Amino acid sequence: MTEQQPEEEENAAELKLGSVFHNATALSNSEAAMLMNIVLETRKQEEAAYVPNPVMQKTLEYAERFSTARTRAAAISMKQVLVDAELMEFEIGCVANLMPENAEEAKFLIPSLDDARFANNDEALDTALSNVALYKDT
Amino acid sequence: MFFHLQLEREIELQPKHFGPRLAEILHKKLRTEIEGTCSGRYGFIIAVTDILNTGKGTIRDGTGSATFKVQYMCLVFRPFRGEVIDCVVSSVNKVGFFADAGPLQLFVSNHLIPDDFDFVSTDEPAFVSADEEVRVQAGAEVRMRIVGTRMDATEIFCVGTIKENYLGVINPAAAAVG
């Protein structure tokens, strides 16, 4: 099997996601789980005997297990807080999944956050993170 | 990370399918061809969520089949080097442990596990912290950073580390019922 070389070196810590993903819509585990459940519902309505393939089944279990928002409203609210805080798509997905408790943890887990936006402004990031935490498990 | 991507694919249909249910058959064929597959470029394709456009089919010279350029939205799972991700440990041995994140398998070598963890091979193999409070064993939820990805045409495999702050076991394996 030949190995595909990425066109440039990919690195999430610098938000280098490659040409396919750099503008793509990222989904948190919660959003992905909700989307998969909608797809399953629709397919079961078309065909009562529908059974998802093993990859989808495994992925749905994973996404549900590591979901942080339990309802669509909570997921939307979390995303809005982070959009307002000027995070990039990929960073929003990471924060929603990892739920860092403060700016220090967030910058460590998601290094791209440590840039001009938040280098001297931990407060703005802390506020956003505590607002996101309000919706956790709701 | 999960993404909602717009992609395009050429689907070929044989003449026996040209009829009132053509759109439905096209949709089903797309799903069968790509759902559950993995590519180095797009990641694991989990599900086709919408068909945007099938266009007009073009009959291929020489055969009676028609090809359709189908544009669709799909849910994919694609890991990135540098990404921090939560996983479930699947097996542990003395050189490290394997973990799963949905369809993706990752490996953490013992060199990238903190030095104060020792491998213990009594009944349930695990890496155990010096104070015996933390056990990396099958079923535990672990947060790791992806340090390398190996992508080829149809497979992705990742290598991770837990040897950093804020990484490691986030939820121990469920206690065995004795």
Side-chain angles (χ1 to χ4, degrees), chain A residues 5-80:
Chain A
Q5 299 301 328
E7 10 181 285
E8 48 170 87
E9 219 23 63
E10 287 176 358
N11 191 343
E14 297 168 29
L15 281 186
K16 288 198 178 133
L17 305 179
S19 56
V20 173
F21 292 96
H22 81 277
N23 268 338
T25 308
L27 295 180
S28 65
N29 296 334
S30 326
E31 291 167 315
M34 288 168 199
L35 182 57
M36 279 187 266
N37 277 319
I38 291 173
V39 167
L40 282 188
E41 264 312 301
T42 314
R43 293 188 188 175
K44 284 196 175 131
Q45 278 171 12
E46 288 168 4
E47 193 194 319
Y50 174 75
V51 165
N53 68 57
V55 169
M56 199 187 313
Q57 189 56 45
K58 210 167 162 194
T59 309
L60 177 56
E61 281 167 17
Y62 168 76
E64 284 182 338
R65 184 168 183 169
F66 291 105
S67 275
T68 50
R70 300 284 153 205
T71 61
R72 192 158 177 268
I76 291 173
S77 303
M78 280 188 180
K79 180 148 191 171
Q80 195 56 53

Side-chain angles (χ1 to χ4, degrees), chain B residues 82-161:
Chain B
E83 182 182 351
V84 172
I85 188 174
D86 291 341
C87 320
V88 181
V89 178
S90 57
S91 68
V92 184
N93 62 48
K94 69 176 192 304
V95 296
F97 67 90
F98 284 95
D100 293 324
L104 174 69
Q105 190 178 61
L106 308 98
F107 177 69
V108 178
S109 126
N110 58 14
H111 299 295
L112 293 179
I113 298 176
D115 298 327
D116 58 337
F117 278 74
D118 279 321
F119 178 67
V120 156
S121 56
T122 52
D123 43 23
E124 187 63 49
F127 281 89
V128 184
S129 62
D131 57 9
E132 297 191 15
E133 292 287 303
V134 185
R135 299 180 66 94
V136 181
Q137 67 185 51
E141 292 177 4
V142 168
R143 181 163 287 185
M144 66 177 75
R145 187 187 303 276
I146 297 174
V147 294
T149 55
R150 202 197 116 81
M151 317 245 183
D152 57 31
T154 54
E155 253 181 17
I156 304 182
F157 182 73
C158 290
V159 167
T161 179

